Amino acid sequence: MIAVMDIRIVPARVADFHQVVTDHPRYWGERDLRALHLLALVQEFGSTCLVARAEDGIRGYVFGFVTPDGTGYVHLIATRDDARGTGLGRRLYAAFAEAAERHGARQLKAITSIENTGSIAFHRSLGFDAKIVGDYNGPGRDMAVFHRDLPLDVAE
């Protein structure tokens, strides 16, 4: 287990994006989600795409943006395999929520596959409402859709 104290959460750079994609298995294991990693998010929404940087590299990241209706949408959030269980995911969400609020967000939203029980439990622990939405991602592709109002207090 690693200490969380020496981690700085900062806006992602293009080089960080490439490092995350290179180290993809450290964050996602056997699931290949590289197609969801869009460099354009870092390029266009840099202040809400964040990395948790430590001496030994990027321990976690959150890529998201704020929609015109004031929703802070989390597209991806992941922690490195050796950083799980340290509270880093909660810290990343808190940092994203603060950045999103600075851009006018009043609520947060995220989605995940209905099979991703870990993500569902994590989001519920942060106070998100979870709803299964049929065909959300196309025919037969139901998704768990999460919503919650801001502010986000990770101690909740």
Side-chain angles (χ1 to χ4, degrees):
M1 196 69 59
I2 57 177
V4 178
M5 306 293 254
D6 60 343
I7 295 174
R8 292 176 297 117
I9 298 176
V10 296
R13 303 176 306 213
V14 170
D16 298 327
F17 173 87
H18 291 299
Q19 190 61 55
V20 163
V21 172
T22 297
D23 295 339
H24 185 271
R26 298 277 321 259
Y27 303 100
W28 298 99
E30 297 298 315
R31 295 183 300 160
D32 187 353
L33 300 180
R34 287 176 293 182
L36 296 178
H37 289 70
L38 307 172
L39 181 56
L41 290 176
V42 173
Q43 299 274 32
E44 299 300 328
F45 305 103
S47 62
T48 55
C49 292
L50 309 171
V51 295
R53 188 173 292 126
E55 208 171 280
D56 64 347
I58 298 169
R59 293 190 184 163
Y61 61 96
V62 57
F63 293 164
F65 54 89
V66 177
T67 67
D69 72 349
T71 299
Y73 175 75
V74 173
H75 181 65
L76 291 166
I77 183 167
T79 55
R80 204 170 64 187
D81 50 13
D82 61 348
R84 296 200 184 107
T86 65
L88 182 56
R90 295 175 83 77
R91 284 185 61 201
L92 281 164
Y93 240 111
F96 173 81
E98 289 174 11
E101 281 186 289
R102 285 192 300 273
H103 288 283
R106 298 175 308 282
Q107 61 188 350
L108 296 175
K109 180 179 182 179
I111 65 171
T112 194
S113 66
I114 58 175
E115 298 84 16
N116 193 342
T117 56
S119 178
I120 293 169
F122 173 67
H123 282 86
R124 284 187 171 147
S125 79
L126 291 173
F128 281 84
D129 292 323
K131 194 175 359 172
I132 304 302
V133 178
D135 299 332
Y136 185 92
N137 212 24
R141 298 195 60 200
D142 302 350
M143 298 295 280
V145 180
F146 308 105
H147 287 99
R148 71 153 290 143
D149 291 334
L150 287 169
L152 174 66
D153 179 2
V154 296
E156 289 179 357

